[in-house]
Amino acid sequence: MVRILIADDSRVIRTRVAAWIAAEDDLELVGQAEDGLQALELFERLRPDVVVLDIEMPRLDGVATLGQIRATDPHVPIIMFSALTDSGSRMTVASMLAGASDYVPKPISFQVEDEIRQTLLARIRALVRPSPAGAERAPRVTVTPSPQRPGSPSPELIVVAASTGGPAALGAFLAALGRVDLPIVVVQHIAPHFLRLLVDQLGELLGTDVAIANDGEILRAGTIRFAPSRVHLELQRRDGRLVLAYSDAAPVNSCKPSADVLFGSAAVRSRRTIGVVLSGMGTDGVTGASAIVAHGGLVFAQDQASSAVWGMPGAVVSQGLARAVGSPSSIGARLRTLAAGRPTRVEAT
């Protein structure tokens, strides 16, 4: 049985969620809290397998409650269950950066309640019992690395893939990486209305140039660009420069944008690409990672211990594509050392 604690100041919501869980043979609701302080008390006493947290609660809100739980237990899955108001959305993104495992929007009408119920129950199961089959279902790849040039070529760009649990992993990775003389391009699977908020908050936290990529934008060192929602992002070379380009091709791995599309184009355009695969469900990124390795680049993957879901990075590791496996901060620190030896800017031909 998966033991669940829910914290929400709405009795209606608690009652609905309790009914959803009671109907499932493998789930058990062990505690209900009306606010964050009560949630902390129940968490310490009950030690549930997963916590479902409301964002806006009296006495102690969901973000603060999340922080206190994370201080004592960095691994328990925590799902933010929030209303999609402006305030709720901003706080949801803040909670994801602070370590929330996932989020599910609250039902706003009876018409969507069944969809929300299915989503919440699926996220609980995926986070508490991550399927080891994720790596096994990864497409089998055969990698024939390109002949290495003499010496150790310095990196030209970093491409990153992330999904469930990705915002927190991204925050830790980018903070440890710091400001480097390299461009960074990210595919983060996230709901469209959260993407802009995530980009804005990362920009504030990092104090650097973070933005959603524009079609035709020249890729410049020291910038961080995110793939927009609902389009693929590719890299092209024009007049010796790397350029970001949109693609309206069909979804890949049921994803749009897809990390495989970004990684594959980066591998072809540059033999000095570094790929980083962070926490996420599924296998998006493994085919692109194989292309990076085949073209002489390097791939790093988040370890299982620090991942909310070890699907995407686990698939890369299972294929033997990762040069190193570690926490997001350890990967960031290692890449900072690699980037420090880079002699030229990305615009150079």
Side-chain angles (χ1 to χ4, degrees):
M1 296 288 285
V2 178
R3 303 170 67 253
I4 302 162
L5 167 65
I6 182 171
D8 198 298
D9 62 337
S10 168
R11 177 174 294 183
V12 172
I13 292 294
R14 295 199 308 272
T15 299
R16 288 184 183 179
V17 173
W20 298 347
I21 293 172
E24 305 298 314
D25 293 336
D26 59 333
L27 306 180
E28 178 186 9
L29 187 63
V30 295
Q32 300 184 45
E34 297 179 357
D35 57 49
L37 291 180
Q38 188 179 22
L40 293 176
E41 295 170 3
L42 290 175
F43 179 81
E44 288 299 320
R45 178 158 55 88
L46 300 172
R47 288 294 171 176
D49 299 313
V50 61
V51 180
V52 179
L53 279 182
D54 185 18
I55 290 285
E56 297 175 285
M57 296 185 292
R59 296 208 295 170
L60 194 68
D61 66 35
V63 179
T65 304
L66 165 73
Q68 293 198 35
I69 292 176
R70 279 284 172 256
T72 60
D73 190 331
H75 301 300
V76 63
I78 300 176
I79 299 173
M80 309 310 291
F81 197 42
S82 64
L84 296 183
T85 61
D86 288 344
S87 174
S89 294
R90 285 193 297 272
M91 293 179 72
T92 298
V93 171
S95 70
M96 286 190 283
L97 288 170
S101 308
D102 210 339
Y103 64 90
V104 175
K106 286 184 179 180
I108 57 175
S109 69
F110 288 107
Q111 285 77 13
V112 299
E113 182 171 331
D114 187 61
E115 179 182 349
I116 299 299
R117 176 187 65 81
Q118 294 182 45
T119 299
L120 178 61
L121 299 182
R123 300 286 172 82
I124 289 172
R125 292 185 173 106
L127 289 167
V128 177
R129 293 194 295 264
S131 172
E136 296 169 7
R137 288 196 302 268
R140 304 306 301 180
V141 294
T142 301
V143 180
T144 304
S146 297
Q148 294 292 323
R149 299 175 181 177
S152 181
S154 56
E156 185 176 22
L157 74 154
I158 299 172
V159 289
V160 185
S163 185
T164 306
L170 270 173
F173 165 71
L174 293 171
L177 179 64
R179 297 190 182 189
V180 294
D181 194 30
L182 289 171
I184 301 168
V185 188
V186 181
V187 166
Q188 166 69 61
H189 302 153
I190 194 169
H193 57 272
F194 286 140
L195 179 61
R196 173 65 65 183
L197 294 171
L198 174 62
V199 167
D200 290 346
Q201 290 191 31
L202 279 172
E204 293 174 6
L205 290 171
L206 300 170
T208 191
D209 184 358
V210 185
I212 296 174
N214 291 313
D215 191 20
E217 178 180 357
I218 295 173
L219 197 57
R220 301 187 184 281
T223 63
I224 302 172
R225 293 294 180 261
F226 278 71
S229 301
R230 302 190 179 101
V231 297
H232 295 302
L233 189 64
E234 300 178 337
L235 287 172
Q236 301 177 355
R237 274 204 187 270
R238 300 175 188 172
D239 298 325
R241 295 183 173 187
L242 287 172
V243 176
L244 297 167
Y246 292 178
S247 167
D248 196 32
V252 177
N253 305 311
S254 300
C255 300
K256 191 174 182 178
S258 165
D260 274 336
V261 172
L262 173 64
F263 279 28
S265 66
V268 172
R269 302 298 186 269
S270 172
R271 293 179 180 273
R272 295 181 287 145
T273 298
I274 292 179
V276 178
V277 182
L278 301 175
S279 176
M281 295 182 188
T283 62
D284 190 35
V286 69
T287 301
S290 71
I292 289 174
V293 174
H295 285 81
L298 301 176
V299 174
F300 297 80
Q302 186 172 351
D303 59 20
Q304 187 170 10
S306 66
S307 296
V309 179
W310 206 54
M312 288 162 52
V316 169
V317 173
S318 75
Q319 298 286 318
L321 298 170
R323 172 60 63 93
V325 181
S327 67
S329 57
S330 68
I331 295 172
R334 181 161 181 175
L335 295 193
R336 182 171 188 168
T337 300
L338 285 176
R342 184 173 181 275
T344 58
R345 297 184 65 86
V346 70
E347 290 87 359
T349 57

